[in-house]
Amino acid sequence: MKGLSKDQIAKIVSLRESGHSLPEIRRITSHSNGTVFKYIQGVSIKSEFFEYWENRRKSSVFRQLKAIQKADDDVKNILGEISQKEKILVAAALYWAEGAKRDSSLINSDPELLKVFIECLYELGIMRNNLSMSLRIYEDINQEEAIKFWTNVTRLSKSQITSVDVLKGKKTGKLKYGMCRVRIIKGNHILKLFNSLRHALVERITNV
């Protein structure tokens, strides 16, 4: 791929020095995010433009916070009290997206997802003593720390851990505590129920 000319690079640098943001430089120059980012690294905003840049940055942060607050308010209006039926549908949807297809287990690295899944299972009469879990970690992850983390998340005891698989590779940066698989003991009925719910949802939502 042909590189940028000196004039094109100088324009990117000049725009950055005058307080323009990466998206603005991208729009003005029609270059990709990656290209713009490459040439603005280490470029300082000139002193005469710094106050202008700082005010715009604060304004941007304020807009983001305002948007987050609006989203939070919208969620309160949308949700209200979550019913038993809705919790069952949440459990079924999570299983549809992340669950195993041949047994009643779900594996994920997101602790919040697993917490919600387990809580929603209560509505189906599945309590924590009906669950087991196994861990999948990498060789650079401390096994005891991972066990402590996932037992706190799931509120299952160490005696309910059936296995800890240690895989080759280093994933601490991406998967600090590895992945946790939660399995419903004798969960064939729940698996069939989730599959039936999936088919029913497809039918009713898509009218197929």
Side-chain angles (χ1 to χ4, degrees), residues 18-81:
S18 60
H20 286 77
S21 66
L22 186 151
E24 289 172 333
I25 299 172
R26 185 197 67 216
R27 287 195 296 271
I28 293 169
T29 63
S30 299
H31 297 310
S32 69
N33 278 340
T35 298
V36 173
F37 181 73
K38 177 181 177 181
Y39 292 107
I40 67 172
Q41 287 187 85
V43 177
S44 300
I45 310 298
K46 288 185 175 179
S47 57
E48 62 263 38
F49 298 107
F50 190 80
E51 185 177 352
Y52 164 74
W53 172 78
E54 183 71 11
N55 289 336
R56 294 176 70 238
R57 187 178 69 85
K58 288 178 180 177
S59 176
S60 176
V61 170
F62 175 76
R63 287 196 301 271
Q64 289 178 22
L65 292 173
K66 190 174 179 182
I68 291 170
Q69 184 60 57
K70 184 182 183 305
D72 288 344
D73 292 340
D74 288 344
V75 166
K76 289 176 184 176
N77 293 328
I78 291 168
L79 275 183
E81 180 121 14

Side-chain angles (χ1 to χ4, degrees), residues 86-134:
E86 289 167 335
K87 288 181 181 179
I88 292 172
L89 290 175
V90 167
L94 288 176
Y95 194 86
W96 184 0
E98 302 293 338
K101 305 310 173 190
R102 294 185 179 180
D103 67 17
S104 51
S105 66
L106 180 151
I107 185 170
N108 212 271
S109 61
D110 184 342
E112 291 182 340
L113 185 149
L114 289 171
K115 280 183 181 180
V116 169
F117 180 66
I118 292 171
E119 291 297 325
C120 289
L121 288 178
Y122 284 165
E123 305 301 334
L124 292 165
I126 305 298
M127 309 305 286
R128 280 184 167 77
N129 58 3
N130 302 125
L131 301 174
S132 66
M133 72 173 178
S134 58

